[in-house]
Amino acid sequence: MTQTLPTAAVLGARAFAALAGLNRFSDEPGKLTRLYLSPAHRQAAEWTRGAMEVAGLSAHIDAAGSVQGRREGAKPGAPSVMIGSHIDTVKDGGRFDGNLGVVAGILVAQALRDAGIVLPFPLEVVAFGDEENVRFPTSLSTSRALAGEYRQEWLDGRDTDGITLRDALLGFGCDPLGIPALARPPASVAAYLELHIEQGPVLEAEDEPVGIVTAINAQKRARVRVTGEAGHAGTVPMRLRRDALAAAAEMALALEEIASAHDQAVGTVGVFRPDPGATNVVPGAVDFTIDFRCPRNDTLASMDRAIATRFAEIAERRGVSLAISPYSHDDATPMAEPLQEALAAGIARTGANLKARRLPSGAGHDAMAMARLCPAAMLFVRNEKGISHSPLEAMTEADAGIAIRVMLETVLELARRAA
Amino acid sequence: MTQTLPTAAVLGARAFAALAGLNRFSDEPGKLTRLYLSPAHRQAAEWTRGAMEVAGLSAHIDAAGSVQGRREGAKPGAPSVMIGSHIDTVKDGGRFDGNLGVVAGILVAQALRDAGIVLPFPLEVVAFGDEENVRFPTSLSTSRALAGEYRQEWLDGRDTDGITLRDALLGFGCDPLGIPALARPPASVAAYLELHIEQGPVLEAEDEPVGIVTAINAQKRARVRVTGEAGHAGTVPMRLRRDALAAAAEMALALEEIASAHDQAVGTVGVFRPDPGATNVVPGAVDFTIDFRCPRNDTLASMDRAIATRFAEIAERRGVSLAISPYSHDDATPMAEPLQEALAAGIARTGANLKARRLPSGAGHDAMAMARLCPAAMLFVRNEKGISHSPLEAMTEADAGIAIRVMLETVLELARRAA
């Protein structure tokens, strides 16, 4: 049956051609900027609907602005397999982030239709519109609409021009009152699969074109304030100092050490502001942020305890005071094991002698929202430079082709299991 | 002969009363702000001249705005002993910094005159006006005028209102053309003595009212730039990071360790700016400053080498690049040993069972400039909280009295030596 399917090379070429079409729509000339419900988003949604229809899907733009395509299977009304990602971007973003996942879904549907394959389940392809959450104060609102977790208060949120989400939806041609009805009934979706460019350098470093996501990481963020005593840089002897910067520097290194010692964890100090911040003054205080993530909630809790203990020990020894104020905490979203296995089978069936490399996702995705509704899994594609949210984001056509071929084989694997 | 001299308690009371008089002159109501050549400086200079004249000195305001007082000794024209400090302040400064040293000189002259003591040398008291170098881009210009190291280009420097130093001098009633003639002939001054509040916490920590300055520290400053690679805080694994902030934190701790390991040295990171400085981005670069000081030039050079070696080792190990750009380097100014001994004798002769605690000065003083002309030495007075350049600067009346009594005894010790 697979003899009639397009090769990875063909799929790669089709994907790059499709991306060239889709990515002509931008809110800023010379850059790829496509914010939720913008004119460029509207054009991209129409393009996506057209592509879906030509690929054999029936398609519409839903009440939240997502493009939904569907092709019925052998058993109408059976739980569907859904392939999705997003077509909104950050400002001056990359070409692959989100867009490639949508194109992949369309190309998989097209290949199956062209090969005359009737699946035992409906195949859906969805292009979400609000994954980057750049324009409005929302959180994955378009995929949460399908998952039944839309928050009505989002509609009153405003963009920087003062336009509410409600008005922006109306302007886009959507009916905000129709959003609650987008919620899919439990068990109506059997699997959500998302192909996405890796937003880091792991696959590039290990020379693997694709990887299977194990979980979307648990994450905690906190603001930390260390208060010592300001002093003259020339006149306060070292032994009499309570140098807030030295204490905070030691804490930054402790976080690095703790993250390195926990499985698949990361830890980052990104903001670091000494007060007063003058060459000839021993800093009296430092404000800094910590951000730490890992695939398991219990590992995150262990890191949290280690950080509290080590920071307190450093503060005590140096005679400075310490305040840790957490302001964000997300549990891990494990990806469904059976779908990870299906992706691994899909990888094996490409015959390309690829490893089924497993890795966590350090960034959020629509799959986080969909995992509340149904089993969900993700396939990462190698990012040539590991750079994300930037026009420097890069991928080879060959890798895109391999990844889409894996998605195709994975859908066929699920069909085999359903049969 | 000392029976007729005022006690430390009397000298302390006289000093605090005199400071209350002198410190009524401020450019900002409710604060003590007295910038060089300001209206408050002019009033303070007139007050100082009056105080000097009543204390038996002949006095005048010189071409650079300093107040010079002099009383001839037994041998007219013999090399003088000069007691000096400054009456300018920083913005919102403390009451003792500079002012106490000038008042001390006046009270010493008054006590000697009142006791009918004729010294074998002329006694001079000088109130310099440009020690803090807040208003114009100068460096100890009023004391350097006496030392013969005045730079003519300073006259073209401007304050933030665009007024040149030349015009400010003319407005003050000074003749800028007369400044070169202020330079004292070599060997015309036998000793320069300066009493100054300590600008740090050493004497307070050791419960000593006074200390003898061994040297004004050598000092070096540099800007450091560490460049690694920016990355997503969630998606770049720890082992693939080149985190500029972690590298810079390790360098800050290395500087602290190096300073602690060198005799009487200090080292400070005061400025620390990560780029981009966002919670969810691994910093790609950090700019920070280093400031390190110690009493000996060879120790400073050793620190400099240790810093270069350690920073390079850290950069190499972490795969980041490093640029150290020195922008300021001052040699140490050792204080004259015989004058340090005279101060120690003066301390012993107070009979108060005080230690002759030796300590370096981490900040600059007019004594740096005067040391280019003649033997110079300084006496530090305990700072109750170790706080400088702030209205919180504090000293007890008792300590002020002890310190002025030490100055008086030191002048008498020099008289004994000269006899």
Side-chain angles (χ1 to χ4, degrees):
Chain A
M1 149 168 137
T2 55
Q3 291 86 326
T4 61
L5 293 171
T7 62
V10 167
L11 289 167
R14 288 182 184 173
F16 269 50
L19 286 172
L22 176 54
N23 287 335
R24 71 164 69 91
F25 308 116
S26 172
D27 299 314
E28 291 187 287
K31 298 177 180 175
L32 181 54
T33 298
R34 199 187 299 143
L35 303 193
Y36 181 38
L37 304 176
S38 69
H41 181 208
R42 179 80 217 177
Q43 294 172 298
E46 297 295 7
W47 183 97
T48 300
R49 178 155 60 169
M52 286 179 175
E53 288 174 345
V54 168
L57 300 159
S58 60
H60 68 284
I61 297 175
D62 74 20
S66 298
V67 189
Q68 297 195 27
R70 181 180 180 101
R71 182 174 166 232
E72 286 303 328
K75 303 179 211 163
S80 65
V81 168
M82 184 185 288
I83 300 176
S85 196
H86 60 96
I87 58 171
D88 62 316
T89 74
V90 297
K91 290 180 185 169
D92 200 16
R95 293 179 294 150
F96 302 96
D97 188 335
N99 292 306
L100 179 64
V102 171
V103 163
I106 295 170
L107 295 183
V108 166
Q110 182 183 46
L112 292 167
R113 190 269 320 262
D114 291 352
I117 297 170
V118 179
L119 297 170
F121 41 71
L123 180 67
E124 297 195 82
V125 179
V126 183
F128 296 112
D130 189 28
E131 198 267 353
E132 301 290 3
N133 307 120
V134 172
R135 182 172 174 192
F136 295 101
T138 53
S139 171
L140 306 175
S141 73
T142 46
S143 44
R144 289 202 205 276
L146 266 61
E149 300 201 330
Y150 201 88
R151 296 191 202 144
Q152 289 300 310
E153 68 264 30
W154 284 336
L155 295 171
D156 300 316
R158 291 175 191 273
D159 68 8
T160 55
D161 293 329
I163 298 168
T164 63
L165 173 53
R166 181 179 288 103
D167 287 342
L169 282 163
L170 290 167
F172 198 78
C174 295
D175 175 14
L177 296 176
I179 289 176
L182 295 178
R184 297 298 182 92
S188 66
V189 181
Y192 174 82
L193 296 173
E194 182 167 356
L195 174 157
H196 202 284
I197 186 169
E198 188 198 343
Q199 289 176 268
V202 173
L203 297 173
E204 171 68 17
E206 304 194 1
D207 199 24
E208 290 291 335
V210 294
I212 298 169
V213 175
T214 53
I216 297 173
N217 278 347
Q219 175 183 353
K220 190 162 181 180
R221 291 181 180 176
R223 282 180 274 273
V224 183
R225 184 170 176 87
V226 173
T227 308
E229 188 170 42
H232 189 298
T235 64
V236 185
M238 299 309 282
R239 70 181 183 286
L240 296 179
R241 294 188 177 196
R242 296 192 298 125
D243 182 337
L245 188 140
E250 204 177 333
M251 292 173 194
L253 294 174
L255 175 66
E256 184 187 45
E257 193 184 312
I258 289 165
S260 300
H262 282 76
D263 186 41
Q264 299 185 85
V266 290
T268 307
V269 173
V271 171
F272 192 103
R273 295 197 194 98
D275 176 23
T279 303
N280 65 339
V281 182
V282 180
V286 173
D287 290 295
F288 64 99
T289 58
I290 56 175
D291 173 317
F292 52 105
R293 316 187 195 194
C294 59
R296 293 169 55 105
N297 294 332
D298 56 356
T299 308
L300 196 80
S302 160
M303 292 178 78
D304 202 10
R305 286 190 300 272
I307 289 165
T309 304
R310 286 286 300 281
F311 281 24
E313 179 271 315
I314 293 165
E316 165 87 22
R317 172 162 41 77
R318 288 180 171 273
V320 299
S321 69
L322 170 70
I324 303 179
S325 310
Y327 67 92
S328 156
H329 185 175
D330 292 312
D331 280 339
T333 302
M335 297 288 96
E337 279 291 346
L339 291 183
Q340 291 186 51
E341 291 307 316
L343 283 165
I347 288 171
R349 296 185 74 87
T350 60
N353 198 25
L354 302 175
K355 269 193 220 155
R357 174 68 164 90
R358 311 276 174 133
L359 76 170
S361 170
H365 294 286
D366 286 306
M368 280 171 74
M370 295 306 291
R372 306 277 296 175
L373 173 72
C374 63
M378 292 190 74
L379 183 73
F380 272 175
V381 192
R382 170 162 53 190
N383 184 323
E384 265 196 281
K385 295 178 181 173
I387 296 173
S388 181
H389 288 179
S390 158
L392 299 175
E393 184 196 69
M395 181 187 293
T396 64
E397 190 177 301
D399 284 356
I402 290 167
I404 297 170
R405 180 72 200 217
V406 169
M407 291 294 277
L408 188 49
E409 295 290 354
T410 302
V411 171
L412 293 172
E413 170 68 17
L414 293 176
R416 252 172 242 115
R417 292 185 185 182
Chain B
M1 145 172 142
T2 57
Q3 291 87 327
T4 61
L5 293 171
T7 62
V10 167
L11 289 167
R14 287 182 184 173
F16 269 50
L19 285 172
L22 175 54
N23 286 337
R24 71 165 68 90
F25 307 116
S26 172
D27 297 314
E28 291 188 287
K31 297 178 180 175
L32 181 54
T33 299
R34 199 188 297 144
L35 302 194
Y36 181 39
L37 303 177
S38 70
H41 181 210
R42 179 78 215 179
Q43 295 172 298
E46 296 294 6
W47 183 97
T48 301
R49 178 155 63 172
M52 286 178 174
E53 288 174 345
V54 168
L57 299 160
S58 58
H60 67 284
I61 297 175
D62 74 21
S66 298
V67 191
Q68 296 195 29
R70 183 183 179 99
R71 181 171 166 235
E72 285 303 329
K75 298 180 212 163
S80 64
V81 168
M82 183 185 289
I83 301 176
S85 196
H86 61 96
I87 56 172
D88 64 316
T89 75
V90 296
K91 291 178 184 171
D92 199 18
R95 294 179 294 150
F96 301 97
D97 189 334
N99 292 306
L100 179 66
V102 171
V103 163
I106 295 170
L107 294 182
V108 165
Q110 183 184 43
L112 291 168
R113 190 271 316 267
D114 292 351
I117 297 170
V118 178
L119 296 169
F121 41 71
L123 180 68
E124 297 195 81
V125 179
V126 182
F128 295 113
D130 189 28
E131 197 268 351
E132 300 291 4
N133 309 119
V134 171
R135 183 172 172 191
F136 294 101
T138 54
S139 171
L140 306 175
S141 74
T142 47
S143 45
R144 288 202 206 276
L146 266 61
E149 299 201 333
Y150 201 88
R151 294 190 207 147
Q152 288 299 309
E153 67 265 28
W154 284 336
L155 295 171
D156 299 316
R158 293 175 189 272
D159 68 10
T160 55
D161 293 329
I163 298 169
T164 63
L165 173 53
R166 181 179 288 104
D167 286 342
L169 282 163
L170 290 167
F172 198 78
C174 295
D175 174 14
L177 296 176
I179 290 174
L182 294 177
R184 297 300 182 90
S188 65
V189 181
Y192 173 81
L193 296 173
E194 182 167 358
L195 175 157
H196 202 283
I197 187 169
E198 188 197 344
Q199 290 175 269
V202 174
L203 297 173
E204 171 69 16
E206 303 194 0
D207 198 23
E208 290 291 334
V210 295
I212 298 169
V213 176
T214 54
I216 297 172
N217 278 348
Q219 174 183 355
K220 191 162 180 179
R221 290 180 181 177
R223 281 180 275 272
V224 183
R225 183 170 178 87
V226 173
T227 309
E229 188 170 40
H232 190 298
T235 63
V236 185
M238 299 308 282
R239 70 182 182 287
L240 295 179
R241 293 188 177 198
R242 297 193 295 127
D243 182 337
L245 189 140
E250 204 178 332
M251 291 174 194
L253 293 174
L255 175 65
E256 184 188 44
E257 192 185 312
I258 289 165
S260 301
H262 281 77
D263 188 40
Q264 301 184 84
V266 290
T268 307
V269 173
V271 171
F272 192 102
R273 295 197 196 98
D275 176 22
T279 302
N280 65 338
V281 183
V282 180
V286 173
D287 290 295
F288 64 99
T289 58
I290 56 175
D291 173 317
F292 51 105
R293 315 187 195 194
C294 59
R296 293 169 54 104
N297 294 333
D298 56 357
T299 309
L300 195 81
S302 160
M303 292 178 76
D304 202 11
R305 285 190 300 272
I307 289 164
T309 304
R310 286 287 297 281
F311 281 23
E313 180 270 316
I314 293 164
E316 165 88 21
R317 173 164 39 77
R318 288 181 171 273
V320 300
S321 70
L322 170 70
I324 304 178
S325 310
Y327 66 91
S328 155
H329 185 175
D330 292 312
D331 280 340
T333 303
M335 297 287 94
E337 278 292 346
L339 291 183
Q340 292 186 51
E341 291 306 317
L343 283 165
I347 288 172
R349 296 185 73 88
T350 61
N353 199 23
L354 302 176
K355 268 193 220 156
R357 173 69 164 90
R358 311 278 175 131
L359 75 170
S361 171
H365 294 285
D366 286 306
M368 280 171 75
M370 295 306 291
R372 305 275 297 174
L373 174 72
C374 63
M378 292 188 75
L379 184 73
F380 272 175
V381 191
R382 169 162 54 191
N383 184 325
E384 264 196 283
K385 297 178 180 173
I387 296 172
S388 181
H389 288 179
S390 158
L392 299 175
E393 183 197 73
M395 180 186 293
T396 64
E397 189 177 301
D399 283 357
I402 291 166
I404 297 170
R405 180 73 198 217
V406 169
M407 292 293 278
L408 189 49
E409 295 290 354
T410 302
V411 172
L412 293 172
E413 170 68 18
L414 293 177
R416 254 173 239 115
R417 293 184 183 181

